[in-house]
Amino acid sequence: RKEVEQDPGPFNVPEGATVAFNCTYSNSASQSFFWYRQDCRKEPKLLMSVYSSGNEDGRFTAQLNRASQYISLLIRDSKLSDSATYLCVVNDSEGRHDMRFGAGTRLTVKP
Amino acid sequence: EPEVTQTPSHQVTQMGQEVILRCVPISNHLYFYWYRQILGQKVEFLVSFYNNEISEKSEIFDDQFSVERPDGSNFTLKIRSTKLEDSAMYFCASSATSGRGHEQFFGPGTRLTVL
């Protein structure tokens, strides 16, 4: 079975901390990778796509290691508003639209 | 900023009844999706829809489920005879393109409760 695995956490960190989340995926044919965040009882919201070369968006940095089938998300200078569940999302193969979600990693940022 | 909308926000139904969940995707998007999330579990893909037909569906999407785009704006999910285990949050999503980098944008969801 093709799976997306994440450390469930929870991660409890103080404001200003740097925190990293990891994700592994089992299907080597996967082509598209994303990080979404989900607040309690809300919809997943796209945080960022993950590109082969790695990419950064403000305080957020995503990395992809295809050889190890591993994706990471780094959050620097964490804010209270970063508290959420972070979902690793992978498509099964190029041209397919069905996305596989990890179970999510819960982050709580405390004052 | 354009967004996906869904109605109703909460639907309560009796087991065995039919329900229709409605979605209005982002207006220039071409690909539409339904996902579900049982409370406390991961988001699960149900079906994708493009050019007025289903392009992929999961093993969850059995004969009890159907999708339709009845007009130029709405996208619906019908569950013919609801079961207790259909209780979940149902999310509609849409994307502008397919293939690599096709970001999907989600609606706020419909919470379905089957009694």
Side-chain angles (χ1 to χ4, degrees):
Chain A
R1 184 176 174 85
K2 302 182 175 86
E3 296 290 349
V4 178
E5 302 289 340
Q6 293 182 251
D7 181 343
F11 284 59
N12 298 306
V13 302
E15 266 186 296
T18 295
V19 61
F21 304 134
N22 303 321
C23 170
T24 57
Y25 59 96
S26 61
N27 183 5
S28 58
S30 295
Q31 293 291 327
S32 298
F33 310 91
F34 308 91
W35 284 101
Y36 281 74
R37 67 169 280 167
Q38 186 174 30
D39 294 288
C40 190
R41 294 180 179 264
K42 300 286 189 181
E43 75 273 25
K45 287 189 188 292
L46 179 67
L47 184 64
M48 57 198 304
S49 302
V50 186
Y51 303 120
S52 296
S53 54
N55 48 301
E56 187 174 307
D57 182 2
R59 298 181 293 109
F60 300 86
T61 301
Q63 296 281 348
L64 168 64
N65 184 324
R66 284 188 188 272
S68 302
Q69 294 178 205
Y70 169 94
I71 306 159
S72 65
L73 176 69
L74 184 78
I75 305 176
R76 288 182 299 279
D77 188 25
S78 51
K79 313 287 184 197
L80 297 178
S81 56
D82 293 334
S83 297
T85 297
Y86 289 82
L87 307 175
C88 176
V89 183
V90 176
N91 87 324
D92 263 355
S93 61
E94 188 160 11
R96 291 187 63 91
H97 309 106
D98 50 324
M99 308 279 262
R100 289 197 181 268
F101 282 71
T105 299
R106 185 157 182 176
L107 171 67
T108 301
V109 181
K110 301 190 172 182
Chain B
E1 185 176 319
E3 56 185 22
V4 177
T5 60
Q6 291 186 242
T7 55
S9 57
H10 192 184
Q11 174 91 46
V12 181
T13 190
Q14 295 289 326
M15 191 169 58
Q17 296 296 305
E18 174 183 286
V19 294
I20 297 176
L21 311 182
R22 292 185 165 79
C23 168
V24 179
I26 294 172
S27 64
N28 62 345
H29 283 187
L30 301 177
Y31 298 83
F32 315 117
Y33 315 88
W34 284 101
Y35 292 82
R36 79 171 186 191
Q37 187 174 31
I38 296 169
L39 188 65
Q41 297 187 24
K42 62 175 72 172
V43 176
E44 299 173 289
F45 170 79
L46 293 177
V47 66
S48 61
F49 192 86
Y50 169 70
N51 201 24
N52 283 319
E53 60 183 26
I54 291 172
S55 45
E56 286 117 7
K57 59 183 182 179
S58 71
E59 58 274 10
I60 302 168
F61 194 88
D62 61 22
D63 292 345
Q64 292 298 311
F65 292 87
S66 62
V67 289
E68 194 177 27
R69 187 153 162 83
D71 53 44
S73 58
N74 290 286
F75 179 51
T76 62
L77 174 69
K78 182 193 290 185
I79 309 175
R80 261 181 272 283
S81 176
T82 49
K83 306 183 187 69
L84 295 176
E85 55 265 36
D86 292 328
S87 294
M89 183 73 97
Y90 288 81
F91 293 110
C92 174
S94 68
S95 66
T97 60
S98 69
R100 204 171 297 187
H102 55 279
E103 292 90 353
Q104 296 182 16
F105 296 90
F106 284 72
T110 293
R111 180 167 298 284
L112 176 65
T113 302
V114 182
L115 302 174

